[in-house]
Amino acid sequence: MSSDTNLTAIRTAAPPDTGDKTVFKILLTISFCHLLNDTLQSLIPAIYPLIKNSFHLDFGQVGLIALTLQVTASILQPLVGLYTDRRPQPYSLAVGMGVSLAGLLALALAPSYATVLAAAALMGIGSAVFHPESSRVARMASGGQHGMAQSLFQVGGNAGSALGPLLAAFVLTKGQSSLAWFSFLAFFGIVLLANIGTWTKHHKSYSTKTSKLDSAHVAAGSLVHPHVELPAGKIAISLGILVALMFSKFFYLASLMSYYTFYLMSKFHVSLQSAQLHLFIFLGAVAAGTIVGGPVGDKIGRKYVIWVSILGVLPFTLLLPYSNLLWTTVLSVIIGLILASAFSAILVYAQELMPGRIGAVSGLFFGFAFGMGGIGAALLGKLVDLTSLNFVYYLCSYLPAIGILTAFLPNLEPAKTKPGSPLKATA
């Protein structure tokens, strides 16, 4: 079947059912559970200094903890999503939070480094189970307002990522075992997610048949603009460029998220609590940038946002290794705001490149994001052992220069052509 025929089929697919009302109670609950899940996940980087001292680890071993957490989530997340697409599991969310609870308790009571790695793997599994299915629940409760629902869902996760280090700064004053206090958050999440499971089980769209229909609706609804026709080779090159940009973004973020507390404590001799507060400020900026990137891209175009968010952050990253504590804080906020706005723009741009494969593209880029964060943390940790923290931050400051590759991306502009006419894309 030709691409034009495929496009016609997508355009003429039945629109999503918007007869249902938006269920804000479910949306707010799943967003809050996203906050709880990502709060628990973000505790692990916040306690790296405690774990390092407790088990006398080098930076390479600390990086391996991050690698275990991120790669576990990266590999399993698309597989879990694929499985639940075919065989819906309404209570899998509560089970996933239960796995995270087990990982949290194992981390709090870990007697050895091997146990720490196993606990990180459990936390990664819990996250992998949570994200695909909770995103589906947000769509089910959207009442047709899919973009709003996903935005609300993501806000919860962003807030949780920033909240974890802040809570850690005040709760983990008595050492690693203090992590057990956070088990109450996980247990609360299990109760809420069990209730959501009951709601989804009785929702009319929660079946294999309607899930398949909904996939067609996703494809139809995603075509806010008509499809831009590009040769397969051009699409492949563009996807390769986007992957390179993702590499730049997540390797640099890995240097900040995993080693920022060590960097501040080593260079400016601040306390662990102060360093964790600085990490909270940085992660708050990342959360704000993530929210801003999508709407701005809708207004001015994805490619412009990619330009600014990757290459535009270069002057600030180059200044960071030479700054005092005050300017390090200011620059980290600016970097977090600008760089974090890239992900939504890159993801939506990739979806517009391949509008008939929204799920596949989303799974690829979300999985790549998790994987790059973990691999980056592990490799950078090993490099810190061989050199120094200052050298790693100096080296990583040049990573946003990869943003120059944005120049080779085609402009995916909304066409103003007659109905049925193919669109043109410009380089």
Side-chain angles (χ1 to χ4, degrees):
M1 184 180 289
S2 68
S3 61
D4 288 339
T5 305
N6 280 329
L7 180 57
T8 301
I10 293 173
R11 282 175 173 166
T12 57
D17 178 14
T18 58
D20 291 341
K21 292 182 179 180
T22 303
V23 188
F24 282 103
K25 179 181 178 180
I26 296 297
L27 278 178
L28 292 173
T29 302
I30 199 65
S31 179
F32 180 69
C33 290
H34 197 184
L35 181 149
L36 294 178
N37 180 83
D38 285 22
T39 295
L40 298 178
Q41 299 293 320
S42 65
L43 287 174
I44 296 181
I47 66 165
Y48 282 161
L50 291 176
I51 295 174
K52 184 175 186 294
N53 291 334
S54 297
F55 299 103
H56 309 290
L57 308 178
D58 57 34
F59 283 100
Q61 290 172 309
V62 172
L64 187 57
I65 299 172
L67 178 66
T68 302
L69 173 69
Q70 300 291 354
V71 171
T72 302
S74 174
I75 293 174
L76 291 181
Q77 186 166 312
L79 297 178
V80 169
L82 181 63
Y83 180 81
T84 54
D85 278 342
R86 297 178 177 180
R87 295 180 176 86
Q89 305 291 327
Y91 295 104
S92 61
L93 286 170
V95 172
M97 186 65 76
V99 174
S100 292
L101 171 59
L104 183 69
L105 292 175
L107 189 60
L109 305 174
S112 65
Y113 176 63
T115 309
V116 171
L117 291 178
L122 286 173
M123 297 286 282
I125 293 171
S127 182
V129 173
F130 177 83
H131 283 98
E133 192 66 5
S134 57
S135 182
R136 187 208 308 276
V137 169
R139 181 177 179 85
M140 289 169 60
S142 68
Q145 301 182 67
H146 305 311
M148 178 278 298
Q150 291 298 327
S151 295
L152 186 59
F153 171 69
Q154 290 298 334
V155 165
N158 291 332
S161 295
L163 189 60
L166 179 64
L167 293 176
F170 293 101
V171 177
L172 301 181
T173 55
K174 295 184 179 180
Q176 180 183 336
S177 61
S178 302
L179 272 175
W181 286 105
F182 290 97
S183 62
F184 290 103
L185 295 181
F187 182 76
F188 186 39
I190 291 172
V191 174
L192 293 176
L193 291 170
N195 289 331
I196 287 179
T198 301
W199 178 83
T200 57
K201 185 177 181 180
H202 294 94
H203 193 274
K204 65 180 182 180
S205 69
Y206 204 83
S207 68
T208 304
K209 179 180 178 180
T210 51
S211 293
K212 290 179 180 178
L213 290 175
D214 190 58
S215 298
H217 293 159
V218 172
S222 67
L223 287 177
V224 177
H225 303 304
H227 177 47
V228 176
E229 291 186 351
L230 287 173
K234 187 70 172 179
I235 292 176
I237 292 172
S238 298
L239 288 174
I241 292 173
L242 294 177
V243 167
L245 296 175
M246 292 275 285
F247 163 82
S248 166
K249 167 186 162 61
F250 283 100
F251 251 66
Y252 188 82
L253 285 180
S255 72
L256 285 176
M257 290 182 175
S258 297
Y259 303 107
Y260 193 43
T261 52
F262 294 112
Y263 178 74
L264 295 176
M265 293 166 66
S266 172
K267 185 172 182 179
F268 304 112
H269 308 290
V270 301
S271 66
L272 172 59
Q273 187 177 50
S274 176
Q276 288 170 333
L277 288 174
H278 280 81
L279 180 59
F280 164 72
I281 294 171
F282 167 71
L283 292 176
V286 170
T290 303
I291 297 169
V292 168
V296 173
D298 288 337
K299 292 184 178 181
I300 69 173
R302 325 280 180 212
K303 187 174 177 179
Y304 293 111
V305 173
I306 296 172
W307 266 116
V308 173
S309 60
I310 303 293
L311 189 61
V313 82
L314 182 61
F316 305 106
T317 61
L318 292 175
L319 285 173
L320 185 68
Y322 306 100
S323 302
N324 59 25
L325 180 59
L326 173 62
W327 280 106
T328 295
T329 305
V330 172
L331 288 172
S332 68
V333 169
I334 295 172
I335 290 168
L337 279 169
I338 298 175
L339 195 57
S341 66
F343 182 72
S344 58
I346 291 173
L347 179 61
V348 175
Y349 184 97
Q351 291 172 343
E352 291 174 352
L353 277 174
M354 304 179 69
R357 300 181 180 179
I358 302 298
V361 171
S362 299
L364 170 66
F365 278 85
F366 274 112
F368 188 80
F370 275 94
M372 275 297 100
I375 293 171
L379 293 180
L380 292 175
K382 196 63 179 177
L383 187 59
V384 170
D385 289 331
L386 295 174
T387 56
S388 68
L389 273 169
N390 287 339
F391 175 79
V392 166
Y393 272 79
Y394 172 79
L395 182 66
C396 288
S397 69
Y398 289 91
L399 281 173
I402 294 175
I404 195 68
L405 293 175
T406 307
F408 298 98
L409 290 174
N411 294 320
L412 304 183
E413 300 174 345
K416 297 180 180 179
T417 59
K418 297 179 181 180
S421 299
L423 299 181
K424 303 295 184 181
T426 57

